[in-house]
Amino acid sequence: MRLRNVKDSDKKISIHPKVVKNEKNYKGKWNKIFNNDNPIHIEIGMGKGKFITTLAKNNPNINYIGFEKFTKVLVRALKNLEEEDLRNVLVIRMDAEEILDVFQEGEIDRIYLNFSDPWPKDRHDKRRLTHHNFLEKYEKILSPDGRICFKTDNKDLFEFSLEEIEKYGWKVEKVTRDLHSNDNGEDNIMTEYEEKFVSMGIPISRLEAVKERLS
């Protein structure tokens, strides 16, 4: 479903206090921006923001940064941010390709990838957020025990991701191909997409990948 453009969306984003401007200037300084030394978790492709705002509300001692490259999606996410008085969440409008320009080595403790674009054609595999080119970027910004949490409704993308992550040498944990049929989904926070897919009976796959390299 295509989203309609929101009038003055660029202006709304440019003046919103939760949207970070000149984000590359804060590399290595994010704890100063949040004014604390709490862990930093990021979500790449935050969509309308339900997932990250719920996490921020439930975990006040963790700082959250959401990435969204599409203006018309991000402007809708801002409504979720406005509904809660959350001091531990910020958002950035940019492509994940530039993530190394935003964070220094070891600055992030967790990365969430929720229902990323599967880029189904083989020639587009490098655009998938679990391709080893992105894993290399994540490895640099994650802390020594940092991890990736990945969810998708796309079976092919999940199998590709599982193989790619294992091939890269990371430890894979908590693998499930039907999150909502077992206890693994007990503490799960659903995104807007996830709610839709679950209501349609589509199984959700999930895994966690630990930066610790296997010997």
Side-chain angles (χ1 to χ4, degrees):
M1 179 178 178
R2 297 184 64 181
L3 292 175
R4 294 180 180 177
N5 290 325
V6 177
K7 185 179 179 180
D8 297 327
S9 57
D10 284 317
K11 180 179 179 181
K12 290 178 180 178
I13 288 173
S14 68
I15 64 175
H16 199 284
K18 287 294 183 181
V19 181
V20 181
K21 291 81 180 177
N22 302 312
E23 59 278 347
K24 296 179 182 179
N25 292 339
Y26 302 119
K27 182 176 181 177
K29 303 174 184 177
W30 286 102
N31 279 335
K32 293 182 180 179
I33 303 302
F34 284 106
N35 198 30
N36 60 56
D37 291 322
N38 293 336
I40 301 174
H41 295 185
I42 67 175
E43 182 185 12
I44 300 177
M46 62 179 283
K48 296 180 182 179
K50 178 185 177 183
F51 179 83
I52 198 168
T53 54
T54 303
L55 278 179
K57 183 178 180 179
N58 293 349
N59 302 282
N61 294 323
I62 297 175
N63 298 324
Y64 294 91
I65 302 175
F67 281 74
E68 179 54 58
K69 67 179 180 179
F70 296 112
T71 299
K72 61 185 178 181
V73 177
L74 179 55
V75 74
R76 286 171 169 81
L78 296 180
K79 294 182 179 179
N80 282 325
L81 293 175
E82 291 164 357
E83 291 175 359
E84 304 287 349
D85 183 21
L86 299 172
R87 299 183 179 182
N88 61 327
V89 59
L90 295 170
V91 299
I92 298 174
R93 179 178 58 174
M94 69 176 294
D95 194 300
E97 286 277 1
E98 303 177 75
I99 201 166
L100 292 182
D101 296 329
V102 179
F103 301 116
Q104 73 173 11
E105 184 175 349
E107 196 168 14
I108 303 303
D109 286 278
R110 186 166 298 188
I111 298 173
Y112 293 98
L113 305 174
N114 294 318
F115 303 93
S116 309
D117 192 328
W119 292 103
K121 296 182 180 179
D122 290 341
R123 68 176 183 271
H124 293 153
D125 64 340
K126 292 183 179 180
R127 299 185 184 183
R128 298 168 190 161
L129 291 179
T130 49
H131 187 273
H132 64 265
N133 286 350
F134 279 103
L135 296 178
E136 184 177 356
K137 296 177 189 290
Y138 305 152
E139 184 174 36
K140 291 178 180 178
I141 65 173
L142 281 171
S143 60
D145 58 348
R147 64 177 54 217
I148 298 169
C149 300
F150 171 67
K151 286 194 292 187
T152 183
D153 64 301
N154 189 290
K155 294 180 180 179
D156 291 337
L157 178 61
F158 188 74
E159 297 306 324
F160 166 86
S161 302
L162 184 60
E163 181 179 349
E164 194 80 351
I165 292 170
E166 290 180 333
K167 186 167 57 178
Y168 194 69
W170 286 23
K171 182 179 180 182
V172 179
E173 300 179 338
K174 301 181 181 180
V175 177
T176 176
R177 291 173 175 80
D178 196 352
L179 176 62
H180 295 276
S181 69
N182 52 49
D183 293 337
N184 290 327
E186 183 177 354
D187 298 320
N188 177 60
I189 294 173
M190 289 202 286
T191 71
E192 292 90 349
Y193 276 123
E194 189 171 356
E195 290 178 344
K196 176 182 177 181
F197 295 142
V198 170
S199 70
M200 297 168 61
I202 298 174
I204 305 302
S205 299
R206 185 182 187 276
L207 63 78
E208 294 187 16
V210 185
K211 179 179 173 180
E212 174 187 353
R213 289 294 190 108
L214 298 173
S215 58

